[in-house]
Every structure is written in structure tokens, then in C-alpha cells.
Amino acid sequence: MNKTKPGIEQYCNKEGSSSKSKTAKKPSSGSSLQKQYLQKEYAQQTLGSGNLRLAVHLPEGEDLNEWLAVNTVDFFNQINMLYGTITEFCTPQDCPVMSAGPKYEYHWKDDSQFKKPARVSAPVYVDHLMSWVQSQLDNETIFPSKIGIEFPPQFKTIINDIFRRLFRVYAHIYTTHFPIIVSLGEEAHLNTSFKHFILFVKEFDLIDSKELAPLSDLIESLLAQTKNQ
Amino acid sequence: STVPSLSTVEQSSSTKIFFESYYHRLLTNPSGRSRRRLQLERQLETLGISEADKTEMRQEWMANETEYMRLMREKISVNSFLIL
Ligand SMILES: [Zn+2]
């Protein structure tokens, strides 16, 4: 297995940094729609009325890594399916750069093809991202499938990298493609999946809070709902 | 254009069904695991065995649950039917 940490791709806040991406175009959704996902009629749509907070707890006596592993595969599948329903609208023309709203851009970097952060379109970025996650999941030395084989010592670091990257797909869907989500009637499904993801992330401290900034207002609103349950 | 194609609409329907049943299962109380745990405890009560034996059986049960989770992971991984 490659022992070096997977590359950290450039994550630039276009307000705060003197970044080279001055030419970045705004995402195609108009500014009036940018925070559509925060409107009450959408943000409060979730599936079922049970307590998601309980669902993320490590079951009594269970192995932490085993629990992280099975949930990672679940979230990867969920994001794959959700993004799959909007691929028709996430084209290189519509989304020439991977972004999470006008203030955040993501540049792809990895250990093989892209040693320098590359400004690629959202569909290309997501394709690299999901393939990279898939390759981690398929790696027997990271995610052992045989009974009795242990997880590697750096497992938690890899999990953190996977979650940090998966978050970006949610962020792109919310900030750029939410009108399509609404027209497909998927807002409750997306919200429930994302809320579950965030509760899991918080429970096991998987993503640095500055990485969550593009959706911090939504996260606050979803977590407030859980408290009121 | 913001009008989804037929294949997107179909994919969306099956995705929604997946999420609805997934979260129905996840949020139904008690969970499969805690139900199995209760069954085990009831079974242990009726067996009339020593505390040490009970502890051993609980450990065995836990190992089975862990194993089951690993098998589930493999299964959902193989079944991820919408790989990009
Ligand atoms: Zn897009």
C-alpha cells in the first residue's frame, strides 16, 4: 500500500485568499437560488421521525474501526446514488470548475495523475473523487473483507480523508444543483442523508470544521432540528 | 435545460425508494441489533448457566455481530449499483 498520505487538494476561499482563480466563473445557478436549501420549506424536509443521533452511536462493545468502515461504505453508496440523479445537469459546461457556491473552489490533487492541484470541471472532479474512494474501499490492506484481518494503524487518517472529500460532493449538490433536487422531489432524501453524515462526522470527529464552512448554516439548521426532537 | 430526462426520473425514483427503505429500517426501534441482544439475554436467563458462561456467550455473540457487519460491508460494496 502507498504509505504517503493522499494528497490534500487545494481548498481555496476566494474571499480570503489572493488566489490565482480570479477568472473563476460563478456557478450557473443564479445568486437568488444559492441558499434555496436554507428555506424552511426545504430545509425541514427529512425522512421518518426517528432519532438519527442514536443511529450514529457506536453499538455497545463493537469495534470502532469496523463501525467506521461499514458506515463509510454506506455513505459512499448514498452519495454515489444522489449525485447519479443529477449527473445530467452537472456537465463541464454547466460546472466548469468544482465548487461549493461562489466562495469555494476545489482543485483536484492525488498521488498519481495530478501531483499539482488541477482546476477541473465538477464532473471530472467528482469522477476522480469517487474513483479514489472506491480504490480505498477495494484495498484489502485498508478495508479488510476477510474475517480476522485487522485494520491498518493509519485507518482513522484514511477515514478522515475519505469523509473530507465526500463532503465536497454534498456541498456541490446543495450549492449548485439544489433546484434540480427539488424538481426531482429528493430534498428530504438529500437532507436526511446529509444530516446522518454530519451527525456521524461530529460523533467521531472526522472533518475539520473549516472544511465544513461552505454548508455551515445548513449544518446548524439541521442540527438544531435534531435537538428539538 | 432544467427538465430531467426520462432516465434521470427513473433513476431518481429508484434512488428515493432506496433512501426511504434504508432510513425506515435504520430509524425503526428497536434496531435489529438491540432486538438480537434482547433475544440473547432472554435465552441466557432460561439456560440457568453460570455468570462466567454467560459472559463467554455474550463475547461470542459480539464476535458474531462484528463478523456480520464485515460481511454486510462486503455485500453493500459489491452491490453498489450506480458506480459512476
Ligand atoms: Zn455540478
Side-chain angles (χ1 to χ4, degrees):
Chain A
M1 205 214 85
N2 191 342
K3 273 196 181 138
T4 59
K5 230 183 118 190
I8 312 273
E9 50 300 60
Q10 191 164 334
Y11 173 65
C12 59
N13 183 332
K14 291 170 72 188
E15 269 190 343
S17 70
S18 56
S19 73
K20 301 153 224 144
S21 38
K22 280 172 199 135
T23 56
K25 279 186 205 144
K26 277 196 168 188
S28 52
S29 63
S31 57
S32 62
L33 292 175
Q34 263 157 30
K35 299 268 173 123
Q36 189 189 8
Y37 56 85
L38 283 180
Q39 292 167 21
K40 264 194 178 168
E41 57 192 303
Y42 302 119
Q44 294 188 346
Q45 296 290 325
T46 49
L47 300 172
S49 52
N51 193 338
L52 269 177
R53 251 176 223 282
L54 293 177
V56 303
H57 286 165
L58 177 68
E60 193 197 332
E62 189 48 82
D63 178 69
L64 174 63
N65 286 342
E66 206 71 59
W67 183 240
L68 292 173
V70 75
N71 279 281
T72 302
V73 175
D74 262 347
F75 286 121
F76 172 71
N77 284 338
Q78 291 194 10
I79 294 167
N80 221 347
M81 277 188 255
L82 288 167
Y83 184 75
T85 65
I86 58 129
T87 44
E88 190 182 346
F89 304 95
C90 190
T91 65
Q93 290 75 40
D94 292 320
C95 305
V97 63
M98 177 65 172
S99 64
K103 281 163 63 182
Y104 300 95
E105 255 185 33
Y106 300 113
H107 298 173
W108 183 253
K109 184 175 177 290
D110 59 31
D111 287 334
S112 52
Q113 245 185 305
F114 296 90
K115 305 241 193 270
K116 275 191 212 160
R119 204 159 161 266
V120 296
S121 72
V124 168
Y125 187 101
V126 174
D127 190 20
H128 284 308
L129 190 158
M130 297 309 262
S131 307
W132 176 81
V133 176
Q134 182 77 62
S135 71
Q136 308 298 302
L137 300 179
D138 290 343
N139 188 331
E140 270 292 316
T141 65
I142 302 174
F143 287 87
S145 64
K146 292 188 181 60
I147 307 297
I149 310 276
E150 300 230 343
F151 291 91
Q154 77 279 25
F155 186 66
K156 180 71 190 324
T157 312
I158 295 167
I159 291 292
N160 289 0
D161 280 328
I162 292 175
F163 274 79
R164 182 172 48 79
R165 285 179 159 171
L166 288 178
F167 167 79
R168 297 171 176 192
V169 185
Y170 281 119
H172 181 69
I173 295 175
Y174 270 112
T175 56
T176 312
H177 299 291
F178 199 73
I180 295 300
I181 292 290
V182 170
S183 72
L184 291 169
E186 287 177 10
E187 58 271 34
H189 309 74
L190 174 63
N191 284 343
T192 308
S193 173
F194 182 61
K195 187 173 168 178
H196 185 200
F197 179 88
I198 287 300
L199 287 169
F200 195 79
V201 161
K202 299 271 177 198
E203 179 81 7
F204 300 104
D205 196 18
L206 302 176
I207 306 180
D208 201 278
S209 65
K210 72 173 195 299
E211 285 281 338
L212 300 174
L215 293 180
S216 57
D217 35 20
L218 175 67
I219 292 169
E220 230 168 85
S221 129
L222 288 173
L223 294 186
Q225 283 173 40
T226 309
K227 264 179 215 137
N228 295 338
Q229 258 170 14
Chain B
S1 162
T2 50
V3 180
S5 69
L6 182 61
S7 77
T8 290
V9 171
E10 283 171 351
Q11 194 173 346
S12 172
S13 304
S14 58
T15 297
K16 283 189 283 189
I17 293 168
F18 171 88
F19 278 88
E20 285 156 23
S21 57
Y22 178 94
Y23 282 101
H24 179 75
R25 226 182 320 122
L26 190 73
L27 297 172
T28 301
N29 283 319
S31 72
R33 188 192 184 98
S34 48
R35 210 171 46 233
R36 291 192 293 277
R37 175 83 208 207
L38 276 175
Q39 272 167 8
L40 171 77
E41 290 303 328
R42 269 191 225 121
Q43 207 188 339
L44 292 181
E45 283 312 306
T46 61
L47 286 177
I49 51 175
S50 72
E51 275 309 309
D53 283 348
K54 280 185 189 172
T55 305
E56 196 180 312
M57 284 188 75
R58 283 193 194 98
Q59 278 164 355
E60 214 170 280
W61 179 86
M62 197 67 78
N64 279 333
E65 286 288 321
T66 301
E67 206 167 291
Y68 174 70
M69 224 156 64
R70 188 167 283 205
L71 292 172
M72 281 308 289
R73 167 159 60 82
E74 195 58 7
K75 205 168 152 241
I76 50 183
S77 196
V78 169
N79 285 350
S80 49
F81 48 91
L82 284 170
I83 295 303
L84 298 168

